[in-house]
Amino acid sequence: MAAMVAPAQAPAPATSVETHHEDMIHDVQLDYYGKRLATCSSDRMIKIFDVSADQSEQKLSANIAAHEGPIWQVAWAHPKFGSILASCSYDRKVCVWKEVQLQQWTKIYEYAEHHSSVNAISFAPHELGLKLACASADGTISILTWTGQSDNAWDEKVVRDAHQIGCNAVCWAPLSAGAQGALVSGGCDGVVRVWRLNDKGDVVADEQFQSVYKEAAHSGWVRDAAWAPSVGLPTQAIATCGEDKMVMIWTLAPGAASWTCKKLPPLEAVVWRGGWGGS
């Protein structure tokens, strides 16, 4: 099975990668430098490829038998922490992998406290430390933070009842959106929520965003939510999409009293994933 990769910096044609996965591919992620590509699939495997400078050539460097069910997403940590990759699966587990030697990957941490499929993961900005948010079909969001004492020493916090029925998406905000950290989530309840970390590290809902969202909410499951990266502009922006075939852009301008929403023209099919260009 092939995956498609579009270079982020230039409008070059997409590149096709023959992954040899034996089932559907669910996620494809380039690392920070664009030199490595990670893919994951319903075949329960993660594959890692070395990518040439122009992204025209890819060489398989590792096969990881990662989970006991379909793997929904993979996420690279910032390189300041080493070569670290996280994965989440239908098997209710979140795994963190580390390249201990060239092309040799070891699972250094596993979180198995969710009661249903873990649908999405996202690493926080590196300034906040090695911190991973995980969204689960059990309706909770877990925040996993490496304490720095050993590879498998992680602090675990859980946001209970984050979404009714289940949570499908989670994404950290750039540090410019809040010094302590902020994230956005989307769920099967048709709700998008913004969360902010307080001085104690507790995750608290942003009621200001919630009051605005009620006036222009999705009418079905929210499939994805993506906070725009910081590219020097002071305005915060979030893109959401869902089963109502809608894409919405939520923005908060500097000094503005509240968020505003722009609804893009409806698409012809359910929108499963969204994202922002640039870095």
Side-chain angles (χ1 to χ4, degrees):
M1 187 168 289
M4 300 299 291
V5 181
Q9 296 182 347
T15 301
S16 179
V17 182
E18 181 49 66
T19 66
H20 296 288
H21 277 295
E22 297 178 359
D23 208 330
M24 182 179 292
I25 298 170
H26 296 292
D27 198 17
V28 178
Q29 294 292 333
L30 285 165
D31 71 355
Y32 182 83
Y33 295 112
K35 294 182 177 180
R36 280 182 163 176
L37 179 74
T39 64
C40 63
S41 165
S42 283
D43 64 8
R44 308 178 182 185
M45 299 292 295
I46 295 172
K47 293 177 182 284
I48 298 176
F49 299 83
D50 294 329
V51 182
S52 63
D54 61 359
Q55 299 186 346
S56 63
E57 298 180 4
Q58 308 82 29
K59 181 181 179 181
L60 181 65
S61 65
N63 277 301
I64 305 173
H67 287 271
E68 299 170 0
I71 306 171
W72 303 132
Q73 283 190 9
V74 287
W76 291 96
H78 191 277
K80 71 174 288 185
F81 302 108
S83 294
I84 290 179
L85 183 74
S87 58
C88 65
S89 169
Y90 181 79
D91 66 5
R92 304 177 295 178
K93 297 177 181 179
V94 177
C95 297
V96 179
W97 310 87
K98 182 177 182 179
E99 188 179 34
V100 292
Q101 294 183 15
L102 185 63
Q103 300 182 359
Q104 294 184 16
W105 293 79
T106 298
K107 182 167 61 177
I108 60 171
Y109 173 69
E110 177 180 288
Y111 182 74
E113 299 302 316
H114 282 292
H115 301 297
S116 191
S117 172
V118 183
N119 297 326
I121 50 177
S122 176
F123 275 112
H126 67 88
E127 295 90 346
L128 299 177
L130 188 57
K131 190 184 296 286
L132 184 68
C134 317
S136 173
D138 63 12
T140 67
I141 297 172
S142 56
I143 307 293
L144 312 174
T145 306
W146 181 53
T147 64
Q149 298 172 350
S150 63
D151 281 347
N152 64 348
W154 293 67
D155 177 69
E156 303 166 352
K157 293 182 180 294
V158 178
V159 182
R160 303 196 182 278
D161 301 319
H163 290 272
Q164 298 178 16
I165 309 176
C167 186
N168 297 322
V170 67
C171 180
W172 285 92
L175 199 64
S176 58
Q180 303 300 326
L183 59 157
V184 60
S185 64
C188 301
D189 51 7
V191 175
V192 175
R193 296 188 189 280
V194 168
W195 309 88
R196 299 190 183 276
L197 276 63
N198 60 22
D199 293 339
K200 298 179 180 179
D202 297 326
V203 182
V204 180
D206 185 329
E207 298 300 336
Q208 181 193 63
F209 177 86
Q210 224 51 47
S211 63
V212 174
Y213 181 77
K214 292 178 181 178
E215 302 300 322
H218 283 280
S219 60
W221 287 19
V222 177
R223 283 296 180 182
D224 203 10
W227 207 307
S230 177
V231 289
L233 299 176
T235 298
Q236 299 178 42
I238 297 170
T240 62
C241 60
E243 295 205 353
D244 58 2
K245 306 177 183 178
M246 295 295 297
V247 175
M248 302 184 188
I249 308 297
W250 309 83
T251 55
L252 180 64
S258 63
W259 292 78
T260 59
C261 175
K262 178 180 180 180
K263 295 184 178 182
L264 302 186
L267 300 176
E268 297 180 357
V270 171
V271 189
W272 281 78
R273 296 292 291 271
W276 295 89
S279 59

